Amino acid sequence: MTAQAPVQAGARADEVRIGVALSAMGFVLAGLGACVAILARDLDEPTSRLALLSSGFAVGLLLVAVVGPRMLRRWQMPTVLGLGSVVCALGAVLIAVAPSYGVAIAGGLLVGLGGALLVLVAPLMLNGPAAAARLSRVNAVASGTGILAPLAIGTLDGLGPSGRLALLAAAPPLLALALLTRRSKAGKRTQDVEPPVPVLIDSAPAVGLGRKWRRVGRRVVVDVGVGWLRVVLAVAVEFCFVVWAVARLVAAGLPTATAALLGSAFPIGMAVGRAIGPIRWRGWSPVFPSGLLAACGTLLVSMVDVPAVVALGLVVAGLGVAPLYPVTLAALVAIPGISSARLAAVGAMASGTAILVAPALLAVLARVVDLRTAYLVTLPLIGVLFLLSRRSDRAAFV
């Protein structure tokens, strides 16, 4: 027992580090939607131009999914964790104080790059027999922290200063983490660690692509393609709400500060939905009841131009959207015939693709019609997800 004590202490220290990193990153990501509306006001830019702010995380996710394994072959995990913390903190500061559109977009890109590095090392540092429980704990804390972001942004904006200054709160813990990590002893190298477990933190798993795929059967390729598309659709629906919820409340007639406060409705629904877990009813896929809730929330957000109803719709949508990503990713990684690590990399690419495209697509539609009508784009996404969520004789797309 004495010999195991240092190991257990090290494991707890890693869990605390990752918990701090993902919580700070989750705070920033959850605040992006409110910052879109506030930046549009502060910089006198149309909200549609600020869609690129959310694209930063997507670009970072795609880049790190490709180059991350090479970095981990050269650098130890604590080094990558420290680098990701510094980069993410710098991005949050730039968004908070950005005097121009270009600086704000650069901040979004740095948040994406740094955040993707944090998500890359999280499953590696928490790997082991109790990995699932440890990842669940840190992600539960991170989800709870995410709820605080729109509340803090809205409260500060209502007091006079720009609400986006609330993002500065994420920088001190990230920088402190980087400093403490630099002083800590070097951890295990990547090649000495077991295969990583995908981490679930608001649509952001990250795992390296590794070597090229070997030849697999045509049916397996089809199954992987369908699984990839399902993850894209699930993440696309989620980030339409993450990025544009506050802007929709502003369009419904609320002041920006009040809209930022009520923007917490969607992350609250998400947190409750993830605490409940996938809804299973008879032999139906969990995607169906969850998707129906998400569709009902979409209709409330889009069809009724009353702020209270819009906020209620965001809660309902959050409840429905919450299980979609974990369910679709788990089904993808469980496809037989290909290693789970490579399938997790496919999931990372799917997430990055969705985050890059979906909010921007909604912004384009909002230029043609109004934002409340553009929100209806989530309904066909959910409809296609329904069509793809059926059992085949080879793989169960739950």
Side-chain angles (χ1 to χ4, degrees):
M1 182 175 295
T2 303
Q4 292 179 348
V7 176
Q8 293 174 349
R12 285 193 296 270
D14 286 343
E15 190 170 331
V16 170
R17 291 181 198 171
I18 296 301
V20 171
L22 295 187
S23 295
M25 183 191 70
F27 182 88
V28 176
L29 290 181
L32 285 184
C35 285
V36 165
I38 292 175
L39 280 166
R41 180 200 65 194
D42 292 350
L43 304 180
D44 195 22
E45 294 280 355
T47 54
S48 56
R49 285 198 72 196
L50 273 302
L52 286 176
L53 194 65
S54 66
S55 301
F57 187 80
V59 172
L61 184 62
L62 294 171
L63 289 175
V64 170
V66 175
V67 305
R70 296 179 182 177
M71 294 179 63
L72 288 171
R73 281 197 294 268
R74 296 183 178 182
W75 297 344
Q76 295 175 341
M77 285 185 290
T79 302
V80 178
L81 177 66
L83 176 63
S85 299
V86 171
V87 173
C88 190
L90 178 58
V93 171
L94 289 181
I95 295 174
V97 303
S100 64
Y101 174 80
V103 174
I105 299 304
L109 178 59
L110 290 177
V111 167
L113 287 170
L117 287 174
L118 297 178
V119 175
L120 176 69
V121 299
L124 294 169
M125 293 184 69
L126 299 184
N127 198 17
R134 298 170 74 192
L135 287 169
S136 296
R137 284 194 294 268
V138 297
N139 279 282
V141 174
S143 296
T145 305
I147 297 174
L148 300 177
L151 296 175
I153 291 171
T155 300
L156 184 62
D157 201 71
L159 294 175
S162 177
R164 57 194 171 102
L165 290 173
L167 292 188
L168 293 174
L174 287 171
L175 294 176
L177 176 64
L179 181 61
L180 292 174
T181 299
R182 184 177 181 181
R183 292 179 177 178
S184 66
K185 294 181 180 180
K188 295 181 179 179
R189 298 191 66 86
T190 304
Q191 53 264 38
D192 297 328
V193 183
E194 298 177 7
V197 179
V199 59
L200 305 179
I201 170 68
D202 295 330
S203 305
V207 129
L209 285 176
R211 297 179 181 178
K212 295 182 179 179
W213 287 36
R214 297 178 181 178
R215 293 183 179 180
V216 295
R218 181 179 299 178
R219 183 57 185 275
V220 174
V221 173
V222 171
D223 287 347
V224 172
V226 173
W228 176 87
L229 182 56
R230 279 162 37 91
V231 174
V232 169
L233 293 168
V235 176
V237 173
E238 179 177 334
F239 265 76
C240 282
F241 286 97
V242 167
V243 175
W244 292 110
V246 175
R248 174 67 188 98
L249 289 164
V250 170
L254 289 177
T256 303
T258 306
L261 280 170
L262 288 180
S264 62
F266 182 72
I268 287 173
M270 286 278 291
V272 174
R274 284 185 172 164
I276 295 173
I279 302 172
R280 300 185 182 276
W281 186 69
R282 296 183 180 180
W284 288 89
S285 164
V287 168
F288 286 95
S290 298
L292 286 175
L293 271 177
C296 290
T298 297
L299 291 174
L300 289 174
V301 169
S302 181
M303 303 302 292
V304 183
D305 209 24
V306 177
V309 177
V310 174
L312 175 62
L314 292 173
V315 174
V316 175
L319 286 169
V321 168
L324 293 180
Y325 168 71
V327 166
T328 54
L329 180 66
L332 172 64
V333 175
I335 293 175
I338 301 178
S339 72
S340 59
R342 291 180 180 178
L343 290 171
V346 174
M349 287 297 184
S351 297
T353 301
I355 299 170
L356 189 64
V357 173
L361 174 61
L362 195 150
V364 170
L365 291 175
R367 293 180 182 179
V368 179
V369 295
D370 57 8
L371 183 58
R372 61 179 290 190
T373 305
Y375 247 106
L376 292 173
V377 73
T378 57
L379 294 181
L381 298 178
I382 294 171
V384 176
L385 184 58
F386 281 170
L387 293 176
L388 297 177
S389 297
R390 52 190 176 85
R391 294 184 180 274
S392 69
D393 57 0
R394 177 66 175 272
F397 290 122
V398 297

